[in-house]
Amino acid sequence: MMTMRYQGINLGNVKISNRSSILRLLNNYGAMSRKDIAEAVGLTAASVTLICTELLEEGVIVELGEAEEEKRAGRRKILVDINHAYKNVITIAIEADDTYISVTDIGGQVKCHNEISTDKTMEPEKFLKFICDESKRMLWENDILKDSILGVAVTVPGKVDRSKGVSLNTYNIWTAPVPVAQVMTKELGFPIIVENNLKAYAQSEIYFGKGKEEGNLFLLKWGPGVGAAIIVDQHIYQGANGMAAEIGHMTEGVDGRLCNCGRRGCLEAYISTHAIINDIKAAKIPMPILKEWLDAGNEMRYNNTAKWASLRDEGLQNIIKEKVCKLAHNVRNAISLIDPDRVVLLGYMFEVPGLYDIFIDCYKNYDDAVGEDFFVKSQLSVGQNHTEGLAVVLEELFF
């Protein structure tokens, strides 16, 4: 009979786990003393001192000086914190209309940023090489050394095979699989991580936003499309095929509009920014204020939504309210299944003056007992700077 031999504990993995625990603690709570770190993570003071010494030598953390309340006789508490200048990260957000390239430090401070049009007519590999050229130009012009780059995050809509670095289907950008990591690693020479844009944002919410306080969240993004992500116990729920929380592709009916995904009746086919613009233009109702605005030389576009969606035109506002209520109805159905602590709202549609309040009112038609703080707007600057991929790199290559 064959006997199993006990292999013992992998001390290298234990050390990595302990380092990770300390870095996550500092990320969530800020500067702490070695003694307080030891108590929080359940390690001996000697172990924490040894790990912190190594992290200091590597430049990963820094000493900030003596804790204010400890400036008295006796042993001093010296605070340590993550050194945000330790490395930089390139984040590339490829979206339906525009692509955003940023370089940030590991704390999220943007060092440089550029925006280019997403060229859907170009072969995917050629467009990716164009992005790489633009990224290298930004590093050169801003004196950012290649050795300072921790890694690159590329976020895209739709289904992604993160383990292989492949975009499987972005619906309205590329419909065939694209080996993003393979192409860009050859061009840039950095580790490339490819992730769905909403899952990347959810990771950012865990590290920098409400996820530091709440374990179970539902993230809803609206603009230009509509998408969602689920956080359970501070981890992103992926689903069996990595496509959990595709609220934009919940169906309104079998004979509905054709969606970019190829199916009919998807929610996104009705409430994406482009769908709203098309429905307003096709409406057979008088909208005099909108007409006057258009006659003045203005144009309805996704990137000036706040201007036209804020016009006090009754016909226009009725169409927008109908869209908001359709979204609220689907959100209620999703929430009744997963029962999150809180719902985090993001995307430029929720920044349109008055639209957030309309959404809450519509939602209360289905659940008038909802708490005042159940819905919150994301407070992260990630949406503004399109650096949602930062947390993806930190998760895999830093923490």
Side-chain angles (χ1 to χ4, degrees):
M1 185 175 83
M2 183 178 292
T3 59
M4 299 287 291
R5 294 181 59 193
Y6 176 62
Q7 299 295 321
I9 297 173
N10 187 318
L11 295 180
N13 287 343
V14 171
K15 182 178 179 181
I16 291 172
S17 178
N18 290 340
R19 284 169 61 112
S20 175
S21 295
I22 291 172
L23 291 174
R24 291 175 190 272
L25 183 71
L26 293 174
N27 177 74
N28 288 347
Y29 297 99
M32 299 177 70
S33 70
R34 293 167 178 79
K35 179 181 177 182
D36 292 337
I37 291 172
E39 292 176 356
V41 299
L43 295 174
T44 65
S47 295
V48 169
T49 297
L50 179 60
I51 293 172
C52 285
T53 298
E54 292 177 351
L55 292 172
L56 282 165
E57 290 174 352
E58 294 169 22
V60 178
I61 64 174
V62 290
E63 287 187 339
L64 300 181
E66 188 176 350
E68 287 293 329
E69 66 272 18
E70 294 297 324
K71 290 185 176 180
R72 59 177 185 268
R75 191 164 187 173
R76 300 180 303 157
K77 281 186 178 182
I78 303 297
L79 300 177
V80 296
D81 201 357
I82 293 173
N83 176 19
H84 291 155
Y86 166 64
K87 289 287 185 179
N88 296 309
V89 172
I90 300 175
T91 63
I92 299 167
I94 302 174
E95 298 185 3
D97 297 294
D98 298 300
T99 293
Y100 306 88
I101 308 170
S102 301
V103 180
T104 81
D105 65 20
I106 61 173
Q109 182 67 39
V110 178
K111 295 192 170 182
C112 54
H113 174 78
N114 195 21
E115 176 179 334
I116 60 177
S117 295
T118 300
D119 191 339
K120 289 173 274 193
T121 64
M122 189 183 292
E123 288 294 321
E125 289 78 7
K126 289 184 178 180
F127 183 62
L128 291 174
K129 289 179 181 179
F130 176 72
I131 292 173
C132 291
D133 289 341
E134 182 61 23
S135 300
K136 288 185 281 189
R137 182 192 65 77
M138 289 171 60
L139 294 179
W140 173 264
E141 291 184 353
N142 291 277
D143 295 323
I144 299 173
L145 300 178
K146 292 187 68 173
D147 289 346
S148 76
I149 302 298
L150 181 64
V152 181
V154 183
T155 60
V156 295
K159 193 172 183 179
V160 166
D161 185 333
R162 178 164 163 172
S163 64
K164 296 180 180 179
V166 176
S167 167
L168 298 172
N169 191 336
T170 58
Y171 300 133
N172 57 351
I173 305 176
W174 309 311
T175 55
V178 179
V180 177
Q182 179 183 326
V183 173
M184 299 187 79
T185 299
K186 183 178 179 180
E187 294 294 319
L188 292 175
F190 304 127
I192 309 289
I193 305 170
V194 185
E195 182 58 285
N196 167 269
N197 56 354
L198 261 297
K199 289 187 175 69
Y201 195 96
Q203 194 69 62
S204 292
E205 200 68 45
I206 291 172
Y207 283 151
F208 304 115
K210 280 291 180 182
K212 294 167 69 171
E213 308 164 11
E214 308 277 0
N216 303 299
L217 298 172
F218 183 74
L219 272 68
L220 176 67
K221 181 182 179 183
W222 189 16
V226 58
I230 301 170
I231 296 173
V232 179
D233 293 332
Q234 294 189 316
H235 290 85
I236 300 168
Y237 178 68
Q238 302 283 353
N241 299 296
M243 294 297 289
E246 282 284 343
I247 191 172
H249 300 284
M250 294 173 68
T251 55
E252 292 289 301
V254 294
D255 296 322
R257 293 179 178 176
L258 182 64
C259 180
N260 287 320
C261 71
R263 295 184 289 269
R264 288 193 173 273
C266 292
L267 178 64
E268 184 158 315
Y270 295 89
I271 69 166
S272 70
T273 311
H274 294 288
I276 296 173
I277 292 173
N278 290 337
D279 284 352
I280 291 172
K281 289 180 177 179
K284 302 299 183 181
I285 58 175
M287 288 182 269
I289 297 176
L290 174 62
K291 183 179 184 302
E292 181 182 349
W293 186 79
L294 293 171
D295 288 343
N298 297 300
E299 184 180 352
M300 297 173 65
R301 302 186 306 274
Y302 76 94
N303 56 3
N304 69 345
T305 301
K307 293 182 179 179
W308 56 261
S310 300
L311 296 174
R312 299 298 180 185
D313 189 305
E314 183 178 358
L316 170 70
Q317 291 303 320
N318 285 340
I319 293 175
I320 292 176
K321 184 175 181 179
E322 177 191 350
K323 304 292 186 179
V324 176
C325 288
K326 190 181 291 288
L327 175 61
H329 174 261
N330 283 271
V331 170
R332 173 56 191 161
N333 288 338
I335 287 173
S336 65
L337 288 175
I338 63 176
D339 189 28
D341 295 320
R342 209 169 305 281
V343 177
V344 181
L345 305 176
L346 59 136
Y348 61 74
M349 291 299 290
F350 287 114
E351 300 302 322
V352 175
L355 199 145
Y356 170 82
D357 294 327
I358 295 173
F359 173 80
I360 300 300
D361 289 341
C362 289
Y363 184 87
K364 287 182 177 179
N365 290 331
Y366 306 104
D367 181 10
D368 59 2
V370 64
E372 291 297 323
D373 60 347
F374 182 64
F375 289 97
V376 295
K377 287 185 181 181
S378 177
Q379 298 301 307
L380 299 182
S381 62
V382 176
Q384 295 294 324
N385 298 310
H386 298 85
T387 58
E388 61 260 25
L390 170 63
V392 173
V393 173
L394 295 182
E395 168 67 17
E396 192 149 322
L397 301 176
F398 182 75
F399 289 116

